Amino acid sequence: QVQLVESGGGSVQAGGSLRLSCAASGSTTSRNAMGWFRQAPGKGREGVAAIKTGGGSTDYADSVKGRFTISQNDAKDTVYLQMNSLKPEDTAMYYCAAQTRTRRWWGYLSETTYDYWGQGTQVTVSS
């Protein structure tokens, strides 16, 4: 059983930075990976970044490579998304997600990989 609580969203001007946090419950033995997804109004949910809980390997969407960085703390109970050089196109609701070890792996940035989701935190980037 996993619960996810997101924080850190807000409004920022283009070129600015934000850091999102996701506090996760549940042991690391049950959480195989954590991911960040986003959804803009009228659009589907897009995988942004993900990290393997145990090994720390990561993957990013092409649209955010070089600008966003996903990381986790040493206790592996919090995952972060550092967002730099933000663009208006980054405006979306950002969701934290967790994959348990019992769920099939469909890919780092595949929505179907994950079986637990946070409530979302809004990120708004103005031009």
Side-chain angles (χ1 to χ4, degrees):
Q1 191 70 31
V2 178
Q3 288 184 297
L4 307 173
V5 180
E6 299 133 315
S7 61
S11 298
V12 65
Q13 291 191 333
S17 299
L18 285 172
R19 189 183 74 162
L20 307 183
S21 298
C22 176
S25 66
S27 67
T28 57
T29 58
S30 62
R31 288 185 286 108
N32 185 54
M34 300 289 292
W36 285 100
F37 291 74
R38 65 187 182 186
Q39 187 169 24
K43 297 184 178 180
R45 192 168 295 183
E46 173 191 19
V48 176
I51 186 168
K52 286 287 187 70
T53 305
S57 59
T58 61
D59 197 20
Y60 298 90
D62 289 341
S63 60
V64 306
K65 286 181 179 177
R67 299 189 298 120
F68 291 10
T69 303
I70 190 170
S71 62
Q72 60 190 353
N73 63 353
D74 290 340
K76 296 180 172 59
D77 59 6
T78 307
V79 65
Y80 307 96
L81 185 67
Q82 179 66 47
M83 304 185 293
N84 298 327
S85 302
L86 283 162
K87 305 174 181 179
E89 307 92 270
D90 296 318
T91 296
M93 184 73 72
Y94 283 71
Y95 298 90
C96 180
Q99 189 227 23
T100 62
R101 297 184 182 276
T102 60
R103 190 171 178 90
R104 180 172 175 173
W105 183 260
W106 296 93
Y108 277 97
L109 304 180
S110 175
E111 185 177 2
T112 55
T113 291
Y114 301 89
D115 47 346
Y116 290 91
W117 296 83
Q119 80 289 347
T121 184
Q122 178 67 39
V123 171
T124 302
V125 184
S126 60
S127 61

